[in-house]
Amino acid sequence: MKRGIAERYTWSYLAQMRWEILQNTWVLRHVFAPEPTPPGQMQRRPEELPNLMKYEVVDFESKHPAGPLKVILLEDVEGVGQQFDVLGVNRKLARTDLLLSRKAVYASPFDLQYYAAVKEQRREELASRVRIPYDYLLVGRHLLKMVVPIHVSMDNPWTIESSMIRCSLRQAGVDIVDDAIFVDSEKISGPNFEMEARLIRFYVVVCKQYVVPMLGRISHISADDSKQVLYPEASKLPTEKELAKYGISVEEPYYHKTPEIGQDFDVFAFMKTRRQGANNE
């Protein structure tokens, strides 16, 4: 009985090994390279010289990674590409997500020709779409999660300006140039302890094209160690009700088709008009 089980497992193992060998690709070459056949003469039969039938392994291709899989996207896929893009993607991603969900197809010769024609037919429609670069989306999502502590002095006069916002962002780990930060034209000055922990709205423009609404919280500090910060710096993202206390609305980032949002662009007025339009709808 034990012998039969052992034989069965042995044959199963051998069959598996044989299948694995059949699945592999070996690159071979002659151990002894034959001399070229002179012109006009018939090539010698290999049996005439047994050494000519000896080969050695040059490479075992199954050891190398298969590399990316070439596909055609049938829709915009965030972090991967846009509709009708032909690109190489990770094989696991392609087989477990893109191909199964019909977000993409194999880039076969037929499909390459077919979808190239479809793309050409829909050229105007595709050109009119607003497509936000993936890098902008990642930056925007990160900034939207922040409530930046705006450190102001308890002892010296101050006014909220873009330079102050920039310093506060740097302390929070975000480095942004001054001309990409837009604050309200209505001045906020102090010291004024009634404004302690007050939320303020400001905007950051990424690459003069992507407007991200951000929140700051006023926090009075002093060089005197005996004076404590009145409000803890670490704070969670406020709710819509908490924002309403300070006259702030929930906003989504805005993507401009062309990179032309500079210092002469009234971002606050534009975003206000945009909010009003959204409320009317």
Side-chain angles (χ1 to χ4, degrees), residues 94-273:
R95 289 171 175 162
T96 59
D97 181 16
L98 300 180
L99 296 172
L100 288 177
S101 59
R102 292 291 298 170
K103 295 177 183 176
V105 294
Y106 288 106
S108 64
F110 172 81
D111 283 338
L112 285 170
Q113 183 178 0
Y114 174 77
Y115 286 107
V118 174
K119 183 178 181 180
E120 181 62 26
Q121 292 174 1
R122 299 175 57 183
R123 180 175 54 183
E124 294 183 2
E125 176 198 341
L126 295 172
S128 64
R129 289 185 185 178
V130 177
R131 286 168 163 168
I132 304 174
Y134 184 58
D135 292 343
Y136 291 5
L137 292 174
L138 291 180
V139 171
R141 288 169 187 169
H142 175 68
L143 296 179
L144 284 171
K145 294 177 182 177
M146 299 179 65
V147 179
V148 182
I150 309 298
H151 293 144
V152 295
S153 175
M154 292 182 181
D155 310 308
N156 302 314
W158 50 263
T159 301
I160 299 293
E161 297 176 343
S162 60
S163 58
M164 183 182 293
I165 300 292
R166 182 187 180 190
C167 292
S168 299
L169 283 168
R170 274 193 169 184
Q171 290 178 339
V174 180
D175 193 4
I176 296 178
V177 295
D178 282 342
D179 60 359
I181 301 171
F182 294 82
V183 297
D184 195 353
S185 57
E186 182 181 346
K187 299 297 183 182
I188 300 176
S189 303
N192 185 351
F193 294 106
E194 292 182 359
M195 292 187 179
E196 179 64 24
R198 174 182 172 178
L199 291 171
I200 64 170
R201 171 71 81 195
F202 64 94
Y203 297 95
V204 168
V205 180
V206 180
C207 298
K208 297 186 177 182
Q209 198 168 9
Y210 193 51
V211 182
V212 182
M214 294 193 65
L215 291 171
R217 191 185 294 276
I218 295 177
S219 176
H220 286 80
I221 60 174
S222 174
D224 187 350
D225 293 338
S226 64
K227 298 179 180 179
Q228 300 295 325
V229 177
L230 301 180
Y231 195 89
E233 290 188 8
S235 58
K236 62 181 181 180
L237 205 63
T239 63
E240 187 173 349
K241 186 177 180 181
E242 291 171 334
L243 290 175
K245 293 180 182 178
Y246 304 100
I248 300 174
S249 303
V250 177
E251 295 182 78
E252 294 296 326
Y254 167 74
Y255 178 72
H256 204 63
K257 287 187 176 181
T258 55
E260 57 185 16
I261 301 178
Q263 284 294 311
D264 56 343
F265 192 97
D266 193 343
V267 174
F268 262 86
F270 175 80
M271 295 299 284
K272 182 179 179 180
T273 304

Side-chain angles (χ1 to χ4, degrees), residues 29 75 110:
R29 69 181 174 191
E75 60 184 69
F110 172 81

